Amino acid sequence: MFTRALQFATALLVVAPTSLAAEVLRIGTSVPHNHYLTSAIREFADEVTARTEGELTFEIYDSGSLVSDQQLDEAVVNGTLDIGIVSASILAGTIPALNVFAVPFYFDTQEKLNNAVVPGTQIRTMLDDQIDDIGARALFWLPFGYITMVTRNHEVHTPADMEGLKIRTFGSTVSDFVTSVGAAPVVTSGGEQFLALQRGIVDGGLTGWSSIVDRRLYEVSDYVIATDHMYETHFALLNDRTWNGLTADQQAIFQKVATDLEARLMQRIAATNEKARQTLMEKMTVIDLTHEEIQAWKDATTPVRDIYLRRTGATGAEVLRAAEKIQ
């Protein structure tokens, strides 16, 4: 009997480390494994694992394999994911003021962006406060860059060329932009873009430069129209319960890694998009708009600002006033 008890106690000692095994956190992205956004959050995860000496590890579900882009924010809030890489346009379904980045041509220079998305700026602070109220927090912002348009077989230069086209969109203000130029918005997840273009469900779509490359949209579309009319950012959205379950030391590591990584990403994004642009010039026709053509787009899409104000109330008005100060 004593021998059996001793064996049992020894077995407990052997398996005890298992009970102290690394905590595994789930991360979800809607983009492919080699996409800039997935690579960025993998970099975060690897650094945290190293700095916590393996106390925290991560499973990354990319390509919408666990949750599609349209449900990522909800999945974080309800705990299906610990961290989700969520776009401003998707999260704007919960926090309408985030659609400020989709108001056309408001953030069309690096200087304007720096005055809006860098930590401590007025717009960034107001929007972070809004995110904090939904049961999650923006651990860090992931710059995504400008949104442009692909078309299957329509060469587009001015809003008049858009009449009657069906265009893939991914948010309400993005759709307002499309409607304002006489086209029909079709809300489609990022993972469905390729098939939507291939099957002719849409004539074109709005997306980021790097996504055109990583999702191989050049195989099913002929043109890139460099509207660059809106800026898209993403958030590493962290579940509040997950955050509160971390030790103080782990929280400090999260914050340090997040802050350092965001600074690096801000430096990289322009190069990432330029590399994508150069790649696409060999695969598609890239249409750079003239000053006069851009002005035509600005004139045609001015109603989008007023729609944004109607939908977002006092908070949206405050954010938009801050955006107009930096024009």
Side-chain angles (χ1 to χ4, degrees):
M1 189 70 168
F2 175 77
T3 301
R4 181 176 296 178
L6 181 60
Q7 290 173 336
F8 180 69
T10 302
L12 284 179
L13 290 174
V14 171
V15 301
T18 303
S19 65
L20 301 175
E23 182 178 357
V24 180
L25 304 183
R26 293 166 305 223
I27 298 175
T29 81
S30 63
V31 291
H33 73 279
N34 58 338
H35 190 280
Y36 153 77
L37 291 175
T38 302
S39 296
I41 195 61
R42 187 182 302 115
E43 188 173 342
F44 170 83
D46 289 346
E47 288 192 34
V48 170
T49 297
R51 294 195 188 194
T52 62
E53 298 181 343
E55 289 179 354
L56 298 175
T57 62
F58 300 84
E59 292 177 349
I60 299 178
Y61 300 88
D62 57 46
S63 308
S65 57
L66 188 61
V67 180
S68 75
D69 56 354
Q70 300 290 323
Q71 285 81 44
L72 271 168
D73 56 336
E74 181 182 350
V76 173
V77 173
N78 68 28
T80 301
L81 292 170
D82 297 289
I83 299 174
I85 305 306
V86 183
S87 75
S89 295
I90 298 298
L91 192 53
T94 303
I95 305 170
L98 284 170
N99 268 327
V100 69
F101 294 111
V103 177
F105 304 103
Y106 264 54
F107 301 94
D108 53 357
T109 70
Q110 190 61 50
E111 182 180 5
K112 294 176 185 178
L113 288 173
N114 289 343
N115 286 323
V117 301
V118 172
T121 56
Q122 184 181 8
I123 293 173
R124 168 73 176 259
T125 300
M126 287 190 290
L127 295 175
D128 272 338
D129 289 345
Q130 290 282 303
I131 296 171
D132 286 345
D133 290 337
I134 67 170
R137 65 186 58 223
L139 184 61
F140 60 97
W141 290 32
L142 292 87
F144 185 64
Y146 290 109
I147 296 299
T148 191
M149 180 165 58
V150 298
T151 54
R152 294 175 66 231
N153 48 25
H154 292 79
E155 186 168 342
V156 171
H157 289 266
T158 68
D161 299 327
M162 295 287 289
E163 187 68 35
L165 298 184
K166 299 186 295 293
I167 303 296
R168 178 260 172 174
T169 69
F170 48 88
S172 59
T173 303
V174 184
S175 294
D176 295 335
F177 170 85
V178 168
T179 302
S180 71
V181 294
V186 179
V187 177
T188 304
S189 72
E192 296 173 334
Q193 286 180 87
F194 187 97
L195 286 178
L197 285 161
Q198 184 182 54
R199 296 174 179 176
I201 297 171
V202 296
D203 301 297
L206 298 174
T207 193
W209 287 93
S210 58
S211 286
I212 302 172
V213 175
D214 293 328
R215 295 189 186 278
R216 306 180 69 86
L217 300 185
Y218 52 80
E219 295 181 358
V220 289
S221 49
D222 300 316
Y223 298 98
V224 181
I225 297 86
T227 56
D228 289 354
H229 60 283
M230 66 170 281
Y231 177 79
E232 183 69 302
T233 188
H234 285 64
F235 313 100
L237 198 65
L238 173 66
N239 176 277
D240 270 349
R241 292 184 299 279
T242 300
W243 172 255
N244 293 330
L246 299 175
T247 67
D249 287 344
Q250 290 169 343
Q251 289 180 347
I253 290 170
F254 262 53
Q255 290 177 322
K256 174 62 175 172
V257 173
T259 299
D260 291 348
L261 178 58
E262 182 175 333
R264 295 198 300 271
L265 294 176
M266 286 295 290
Q267 295 175 348
R268 290 180 197 165
I269 186 60
T272 298
N273 284 337
E274 181 57 30
K275 181 180 178 180
R277 178 187 178 88
Q278 294 303 316
T279 298
L280 293 172
M281 290 182 71
E282 299 177 359
K283 299 177 180 293
M284 306 171 72
T285 299
V286 177
I287 299 174
D288 287 309
L289 303 177
T290 66
H291 176 78
E292 291 74 21
E293 289 167 345
I294 291 174
Q295 189 58 52
W297 284 91
K298 289 181 177 180
D299 293 342
T301 59
T302 52
V304 177
R305 172 193 179 278
D306 295 332
I307 297 171
Y308 170 84
L309 284 173
R310 288 200 300 272
R311 285 185 177 151
T312 57
T315 300
E318 185 180 4
V319 172
L320 193 65
R321 280 194 298 270
E324 290 178 337
K325 287 179 183 177
I326 63 177
Q327 296 305 304

